[in-house]
Amino acid sequence: MLTVLLECRDNEPELAHTLAVLVSGAVDGLVSDVIVLDHGSRDGSARVADAAGCRFVDKWDLQDVLKSARGEWIMLLEPGARPQAGWIEEVLEHASLSKTPARFTPSSRFRRPFFKRWRRSGALENGFLMPKREAAALAKPGTDLAALAKASAARKLRSELIPAWVMREGR
């Protein structure tokens, strides 16, 4: 039903935290596969992905990755991002009833300091969910996940997501 895509470069601890949250989605039958797209990591990112049963790809083209994805929906996340309670049911409902892209609601517990909120957030800060068919139509050679997420307007899901920057700033 859902393929999760993550891009990483030396994000071993962040990747481990995100994959731990996705396990419950796999157990419930929502997450069919997770693909980690690497940009030359020199840490243990490949080992973490392998231990979690993910596909780790170090030389990739997004069009080819999308063709090999098993899910009919694609969820784009940054390593370190963690969907919160209720995300599985809401993503299942959204995928069943809608054909439009969606983003998670930013976490109410973790907000950037006031002056940093003025800076525009990254395209994947709140995750991105879209039909595989739409993703494949938008993917061009050299496209990364952030560009794919910028290409479509999205509905906001009720479920919250703790963004990846929370874990990066905690290091």
Side-chain angles (χ1 to χ4, degrees):
M1 159 140 265
L2 178 71
T3 294
V4 180
L5 299 178
L6 300 107
E7 278 185 79
C8 78
R9 179 178 185 150
D10 297 328
N11 295 112
E12 179 182 0
E14 294 94 344
L15 187 59
H17 277 81
T18 300
L19 295 177
V21 172
L22 296 176
V23 168
S24 58
V27 169
D28 285 352
L30 172 64
V31 176
S32 57
D33 60 329
V34 177
I35 305 171
V36 178
L37 309 173
D38 187 56
H39 289 285
S41 292
R42 294 169 303 209
D43 63 358
S45 297
R47 286 190 308 273
V48 168
D50 183 55
C54 303
R55 190 162 22 131
F56 188 85
V57 185
D58 57 357
K59 290 179 178 62
W60 54 274
D61 175 70
L62 189 55
Q63 293 172 316
D64 295 334
V65 170
L66 290 169
K67 285 178 189 171
S68 69
R70 288 189 279 183
E72 290 303 313
W73 280 77
I74 305 293
M75 185 162 68
L76 312 175
L77 293 174
E78 293 179 315
R82 292 161 295 173
Q84 296 300 284
W87 75 273
I88 296 168
E89 295 80 11
E90 188 167 16
V91 168
L92 271 169
E93 181 180 325
H94 180 79
S96 299
L97 301 175
S98 178
K99 300 294 180 220
T100 61
R103 294 184 192 282
F104 289 96
T105 296
S107 173
S108 57
R109 288 185 8 226
F110 297 98
R111 294 178 50 141
R112 289 188 185 274
F114 182 73
F115 288 110
K116 288 188 178 181
R117 285 185 228 151
W118 289 38
R119 201 177 81 220
R120 191 164 185 184
S121 63
L124 294 178
E125 184 170 327
N126 297 314
F128 197 76
L129 179 68
M130 70 189 316
K132 176 181 170 179
R133 184 175 35 244
E134 184 177 338
L138 293 170
K140 305 288 183 244
T143 303
D144 64 357
L145 299 185
L148 194 60
K150 286 180 192 174
S152 297
R155 170 180 178 261
K156 191 179 280 187
L157 301 173
R158 289 182 313 275
S159 298
E160 293 185 0
L161 176 120
I162 297 175
W165 64 262
V166 172
M167 186 165 187
R168 283 193 303 265
E169 287 186 2
R171 276 213 247 176

